[in-house]
Coordinates of all heavy atoms in Angstrom, one line a residue:
L1 N -8.1 -6.0 9.1 CA -7.3 -7.1 9.1 C -6.3 -7.0 10.3 O -5.6 -6.0 10.4 CB -6.4 -7.2 7.8 CG -7.2 -7.4 6.5 CD1 -6.3 -7.3 5.3 CD2 -7.9 -8.8 6.5
D2 N -6.3 -8.1 11.1 CA -5.4 -8.1 12.2 C -4.1 -8.8 11.7 O -4.0 -10.0 11.6 CB -6.0 -8.9 13.4 CG -5.0 -9.0 14.6 OD1 -3.9 -8.4 14.5 OD2 -5.5 -9.6 15.6
L3 N -3.1 -8.0 11.3 CA -1.9 -8.5 10.7 C -1.0 -9.3 11.6 O 0.0 -9.8 11.1 CB -1.2 -7.4 10.0 CG -2.0 -6.7 8.8 CD1 -1.2 -5.6 8.2 CD2 -2.4 -7.7 7.8
K4 N -1.4 -9.4 12.8 CA -0.7 -10.3 13.7 C -1.1 -11.8 13.5 O -0.4 -12.7 13.9 CB -0.9 -9.9 15.2 CG -0.5 -8.6 15.6 CD -0.8 -8.2 17.0 CE -0.4 -6.8 17.4 NZ -0.8 -6.4 18.8
R5 N -2.1 -12.0 12.7 CA -2.7 -13.3 12.5 C -2.3 -13.7 11.0 O -2.4 -12.9 10.1 CB -4.2 -13.3 12.7 CG -4.6 -12.9 14.1 CD -6.1 -13.0 14.2 NE -6.6 -14.3 14.0 CZ -7.3 -14.7 13.0 NH1 -7.6 -13.8 12.0 NH2 -7.7 -16.0 12.8
A6 N -1.9 -15.0 10.9 CA -1.4 -15.5 9.6 C -2.5 -15.4 8.6 O -2.3 -15.1 7.4 CB -1.0 -16.9 9.8
A7 N -3.8 -15.7 8.9 CA -4.9 -15.7 7.9 C -5.1 -14.3 7.4 O -5.3 -14.1 6.2 CB -6.1 -16.2 8.6
A8 N -5.0 -13.3 8.3 CA -5.1 -11.9 7.8 C -4.0 -11.5 6.9 O -4.2 -10.7 5.9 CB -5.3 -11.0 9.0
R9 N -2.8 -11.9 7.3 CA -1.6 -11.5 6.4 C -1.8 -12.2 5.0 O -1.5 -11.5 4.0 CB -0.3 -12.0 7.0 CG 0.0 -11.2 8.3 CD 1.5 -11.4 8.7 NE 1.8 -12.8 9.1 CZ 1.6 -13.3 10.3 NH1 1.1 -12.6 11.3 NH2 1.9 -14.6 10.5
E10 N -2.3 -13.4 5.0 CA -2.5 -14.1 3.7 C -3.6 -13.3 2.9 O -3.5 -13.2 1.7 CB -2.9 -15.5 3.9 CG -3.2 -16.3 2.6 CD -2.0 -16.2 1.5 OE1 -0.9 -16.2 2.0 OE2 -2.3 -16.0 0.3
A11 N -4.6 -12.8 3.6 CA -5.6 -12.0 2.9 C -5.0 -10.8 2.3 O -5.3 -10.4 1.2 CB -6.7 -11.7 3.8
L12 N -4.1 -10.1 3.0 CA -3.5 -8.9 2.5 C -2.6 -9.2 1.3 O -2.6 -8.5 0.3 CB -2.7 -8.2 3.6 CG -2.0 -6.9 3.2 CD1 -3.0 -5.9 2.7 CD2 -1.2 -6.3 4.4
W13 N -1.9 -10.4 1.3 CA -1.1 -10.7 0.2 C -2.1 -10.9 -1.1 O -1.7 -10.5 -2.2 CB -0.4 -12.0 0.4 CG 0.9 -11.8 1.2 CD1 1.2 -12.4 2.4 CD2 2.0 -11.0 0.9 NE1 2.4 -12.0 2.8 CE2 3.0 -11.2 1.9 CE3 2.3 -10.2 -0.2 CZ2 4.2 -10.5 1.9 CZ3 3.5 -9.5 -0.3 CH2 4.4 -9.7 0.8
R14 N -3.2 -11.5 -0.8 CA -4.2 -11.7 -2.0 C -4.6 -10.3 -2.5 O -4.7 -10.1 -3.7 CB -5.4 -12.4 -1.5 CG -6.3 -12.9 -2.6 CD -5.8 -14.2 -3.3 NE -5.9 -15.3 -2.4 CZ -6.9 -16.1 -2.1 NH1 -8.1 -15.9 -2.8 NH2 -6.8 -17.1 -1.3
L15 N -4.8 -9.3 -1.6 CA -5.1 -8.0 -2.1 C -4.0 -7.3 -2.8 O -4.1 -6.5 -3.7 CB -5.6 -7.1 -0.9 CG -6.9 -7.5 -0.2 CD1 -7.1 -6.7 1.1 CD2 -8.1 -7.4 -1.2
V16 N -2.7 -7.6 -2.3 CA -1.5 -7.1 -3.0 C -1.5 -7.5 -4.5 O -1.2 -6.7 -5.4 CB -0.3 -7.5 -2.3 CG1 1.0 -7.3 -3.2 CG2 -0.1 -6.8 -1.0
D17 N -2.0 -8.7 -4.8 CA -2.0 -9.2 -6.1 C -2.8 -8.3 -7.1 O -2.6 -8.3 -8.3 CB -2.6 -10.6 -6.2 CG -1.6 -11.6 -5.5 OD1 -0.4 -11.3 -5.4 OD2 -2.1 -12.7 -5.1
S18 N -3.9 -7.7 -6.5 CA -4.8 -6.9 -7.4 C -4.6 -5.4 -7.3 O -5.3 -4.6 -7.8 CB -6.2 -7.2 -7.0 OG -6.5 -6.8 -5.7
A19 N -3.5 -5.0 -6.6 CA -3.3 -3.6 -6.3 C -2.3 -2.9 -7.2 O -1.4 -3.6 -7.8 CB -2.8 -3.4 -4.8
D20 N -2.5 -1.7 -7.5 CA -1.6 -0.8 -8.2 C -0.6 -0.1 -7.3 O 0.5 0.2 -7.7 CB -2.3 0.2 -9.0 CG -3.3 -0.4 -10.0 OD1 -2.7 -1.0 -11.0 OD2 -4.5 -0.4 -9.8
V21 N -1.1 0.2 -6.1 CA -0.2 0.9 -5.1 C -0.4 0.3 -3.7 O -1.5 0.0 -3.3 CB -0.6 2.4 -5.1 CG1 0.2 3.2 -4.1 CG2 -0.5 3.1 -6.4
F22 N 0.7 0.2 -3.0 CA 0.7 -0.2 -1.6 C 1.4 0.9 -0.9 O 2.5 1.3 -1.1 CB 1.5 -1.5 -1.5 CG 1.6 -2.1 -0.1 CD1 0.8 -3.1 0.3 CD2 2.5 -1.6 0.8 CE1 0.9 -3.7 1.6 CE2 2.6 -2.1 2.1 CZ 1.8 -3.2 2.5
V23 N 0.6 1.5 0.0 CA 1.1 2.7 0.7 C 1.0 2.5 2.2 O -0.1 2.1 2.7 CB 0.5 4.0 0.3 CG1 -1.0 4.0 0.4 CG2 1.0 5.2 1.0
H24 N 2.0 2.9 3.0 CA 1.9 2.8 4.5 C 2.8 3.9 5.1 O 3.7 4.4 4.5 CB 2.4 1.4 4.9 CG 3.9 1.3 4.8 ND1 4.8 1.7 5.8 CD2 4.7 0.8 3.8 CE1 6.1 1.5 5.4 NE2 6.0 0.9 4.2
N25 N 2.4 4.2 6.4 CA 3.3 5.1 7.1 C 3.8 4.4 8.4 O 3.8 5.0 9.5 CB 2.7 6.4 7.4 CG 1.4 6.4 8.2 OD1 0.8 5.3 8.4 ND2 0.8 7.5 8.6
I26 N 4.1 3.1 8.3 CA 4.6 2.3 9.4 C 6.1 2.4 9.4 O 6.7 2.4 8.3 CB 4.1 0.9 9.2 CG1 2.6 0.8 9.2 CG2 4.7 0.0 10.3 CD1 2.1 -0.6 8.7
R27 N 6.7 2.5 10.5 CA 8.2 2.6 10.6 C 8.8 1.4 10.0 O 8.3 0.3 10.1 CB 8.6 2.8 12.0 CG 8.4 4.2 12.5 CD 9.0 4.4 13.9 NE 8.2 3.9 15.0 CZ 8.6 3.7 16.2 NH1 9.9 4.0 16.5 NH2 7.9 3.2 17.1
P28 N 10.0 1.6 9.3 CA 10.6 0.5 8.5 C 10.8 -0.8 9.2 O 10.5 -1.9 8.7 CB 11.9 1.1 8.0 CG 11.7 2.6 8.0 CD 10.8 2.9 9.2
H29 N 11.3 -0.8 10.5 CA 11.5 -2.0 11.1 C 10.2 -2.8 11.5 O 10.2 -4.0 11.6 CB 12.3 -1.8 12.4 CG 11.7 -1.0 13.5 ND1 11.5 0.4 13.4 CD2 11.1 -1.4 14.6 CE1 10.9 0.8 14.5 NE2 10.6 -0.3 15.3
K30 N 9.1 -2.0 11.7 CA 7.8 -2.6 12.0 C 7.2 -3.2 10.7 O 6.6 -4.3 10.8 CB 6.9 -1.6 12.6 CG 7.4 -1.2 14.0 CD 6.3 -0.5 14.8 CE 6.7 -0.3 16.3 NZ 5.7 0.3 17.1
I31 N 7.3 -2.6 9.6 CA 6.7 -3.1 8.4 C 7.5 -4.4 7.9 O 7.0 -5.3 7.4 CB 6.6 -2.1 7.2 CG1 5.6 -2.5 6.1 CG2 8.0 -1.8 6.7 CD1 4.2 -2.5 6.5
L32 N 8.8 -4.3 8.2 CA 9.7 -5.5 7.9 C 9.3 -6.7 8.8 O 9.2 -7.8 8.3 CB 11.1 -5.1 8.2 CG 12.2 -6.3 8.0 CD1 12.2 -6.7 6.5 CD2 13.6 -5.8 8.4
K33 N 9.0 -6.4 10.1 CA 8.6 -7.5 11.0 C 7.2 -8.1 10.5 O 7.0 -9.3 10.6 CB 8.4 -7.0 12.4 CG 8.1 -8.0 13.4 CD 8.1 -7.4 14.8 CE 7.8 -8.5 15.9 NZ 7.8 -7.9 17.3
L34 N 6.3 -7.3 10.0 CA 5.1 -7.8 9.5 C 5.2 -8.6 8.2 O 4.3 -9.4 7.8 CB 4.1 -6.6 9.2 CG 3.5 -5.9 10.5 CD1 2.7 -4.7 10.0 CD2 2.6 -6.9 11.2
G35 N 6.3 -8.4 7.5 CA 6.6 -9.1 6.3 C 6.2 -8.4 5.0 O 6.2 -9.0 3.9
F36 N 5.8 -7.1 5.1 CA 5.4 -6.4 4.0 C 6.3 -5.2 3.6 O 5.9 -4.1 3.2 CB 3.9 -5.9 4.2 CG 2.9 -7.0 4.2 CD1 2.6 -7.6 5.4 CD2 2.3 -7.4 3.1 CE1 1.7 -8.6 5.5 CE2 1.4 -8.5 3.1 CZ 1.1 -9.1 4.3
D37 N 7.6 -5.5 3.7 CA 8.6 -4.6 3.3 C 8.7 -4.5 1.8 O 8.1 -5.3 1.1 CB 10.0 -5.0 3.8 CG 10.3 -6.4 3.4 OD1 9.8 -7.4 4.1 OD2 11.1 -6.6 2.5
P38 N 9.3 -3.5 1.2 CA 9.3 -3.3 -0.3 C 9.8 -4.5 -1.1 O 9.2 -4.8 -2.1 CB 10.1 -2.0 -0.5 CG 10.8 -1.8 0.8 CD 10.0 -2.4 1.9
D39 N 10.8 -5.1 -0.6 CA 11.4 -6.2 -1.4 C 10.4 -7.3 -1.5 O 10.2 -7.9 -2.6 CB 12.7 -6.7 -0.7 CG 13.8 -5.7 -0.8 OD1 13.8 -4.8 -1.7 OD2 14.8 -5.8 0.0
R40 N 9.7 -7.7 -0.4 CA 8.8 -8.8 -0.5 C 7.5 -8.4 -1.3 O 7.0 -9.3 -2.1 CB 8.5 -9.3 0.9 CG 9.5 -10.3 1.4 CD 9.3 -10.8 2.8 NE 9.7 -9.9 3.8 CZ 9.9 -10.2 5.1 NH1 9.5 -11.4 5.5 NH2 10.3 -9.3 5.9
V41 N 7.0 -7.2 -1.1 CA 5.8 -6.9 -1.8 C 6.0 -6.8 -3.3 O 5.2 -7.2 -4.1 CB 5.2 -5.5 -1.2 CG1 4.1 -5.0 -2.1 CG2 4.7 -5.7 0.2

């Protein structure tokens, strides 16, 4: 998924709906910029 693209981000959100765990090792300001920070997820 190229998360720079809106369609790919929407696909990831759909996967979030079916997930038990969301894990990343992206630096906090970068995951916030992508829109997948803890508050939103």
